[in-house]
């Protein structure tokens, strides 16, 4: 009997984008169980609370019909979280060279913390490479259409939040 291979795909998912869902779908094929770790990062100026983001990710994963994914919130050092979950793999998505430089450095630091956990990089689908949650929020806050970057349900969530917070800009 072999030990199940558990992977962690960490992020803030504020909001979850089509790019995130692409990495979740593909990452779930590499492991027996993929844990989407929804973390806090106040420096990213979150639009949604951690609980709202976890519910959003769960809904979107369920909608995709991916059955080996679990969504877990965490507010800790990634490698400590991964150890606690019994993970042997960290899954990271890459969009551009700038992502690689940052992720390469993080992977090296994480390896120093625990060399039993490997980092696996997945290139984002070419059509999804420009998508970033930060940009999605910015477009929405200025009244732009984000339909090409998120699912319809996430679009509705973001539009509702923008209506609550107030749209920016002159137009």
């Amino acid at each position: 009997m072999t030990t199940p291979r558990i992977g962690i795909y960490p992020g803030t998912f504020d909001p979850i984008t089509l790019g995130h869902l692409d990495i979740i779908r593909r990452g779930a094929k590499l492991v027996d169980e993929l844990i989407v770790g929804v973390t806090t990062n106040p420096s990213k100026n979150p639009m949604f609370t951690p609980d709202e983001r976890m519910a959003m990710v769960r809904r979107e994963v369920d909608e995709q019909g991916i059955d080996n994914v679990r969504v877990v919130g965490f507010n800790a050092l990634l490698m400590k979280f991964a150890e606690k979950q019994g993970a042997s793999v960290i899954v990271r998505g890459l969009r551009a060279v700038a992502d690689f430089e940052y992720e390469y450095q993080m992977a090296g630091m994480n390896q120093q913390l625990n060399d039993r956990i490997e980092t696996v990089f997945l290139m984002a689908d070419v059509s999804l490479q420009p998508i970033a949650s930060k940009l999605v929020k910015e477009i929405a806050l200025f009244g732009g259409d984000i339909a090409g970057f998120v699912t319809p349900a996430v679009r509705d969530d973001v539009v509702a939040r923008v209506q609550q917070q107030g749209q920016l800009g002159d137009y």
Side-chain angles (χ1 to χ4, degrees):
M1 187 169 186
T2 62
T3 304
R5 179 171 289 159
I6 298 171
I8 305 280
Y9 177 39
T12 52
F13 306 100
D14 185 48
I16 186 168
T17 68
L18 296 176
H20 291 132
L21 289 170
D22 176 56
I23 298 298
I24 291 169
R25 257 191 316 275
R26 293 169 47 219
K29 294 176 186 176
L30 302 176
V31 293
D32 299 308
E33 179 182 30
L34 181 64
I35 298 170
V36 177
V38 179
T39 188
T40 56
N41 188 342
S43 70
K44 289 192 173 186
N45 194 20
M47 180 177 272
F48 297 96
T49 68
D51 287 340
E52 289 170 329
R53 288 183 277 125
M54 285 193 312
M56 194 182 299
V57 172
R58 280 189 191 105
R59 179 191 68 213
E60 296 304 316
V61 168
D62 288 347
E63 186 69 25
Q64 298 290 317
I66 309 167
D67 59 2
N68 67 328
V69 173
R70 190 163 46 104
V71 179
V72 177
F74 77 102
N75 185 16
L77 191 62
L78 173 58
M79 296 312 277
K80 295 263 186 212
F81 175 69
E83 289 170 9
K84 186 175 179 183
Q85 299 299 318
S88 59
V89 176
I90 304 295
V91 175
R92 298 298 295 161
L94 296 176
R95 293 175 306 217
V97 173
D99 282 352
F100 178 77
E101 290 175 13
Y102 172 77
E103 294 294 344
Y104 181 78
Q105 183 179 22
M106 291 301 299
M109 293 297 288
N110 287 339
Q111 186 179 38
Q112 294 292 319
L113 294 171
N114 185 335
D115 64 1
R116 296 178 311 278
I117 300 175
E118 292 292 336
T119 299
V120 174
F121 298 113
L122 294 177
M123 292 300 298
D125 182 276
V126 173
S127 67
L128 304 173
Q129 286 181 1
I131 301 173
S133 293
K134 178 182 176 183
L135 297 177
V136 168
K137 288 186 291 191
E138 188 173 321
I139 291 166
L141 284 166
F142 281 96
D145 183 12
I146 60 169
F149 312 123
V150 296
T151 66
V154 172
R155 181 195 169 281
D156 292 346
D157 292 339
V158 173
V159 167
R161 186 54 49 93
V162 168
Q163 288 172 345
Q164 278 180 340
Q165 294 178 345
Q167 189 173 310
L168 302 175
D170 296 336
Y171 297 92

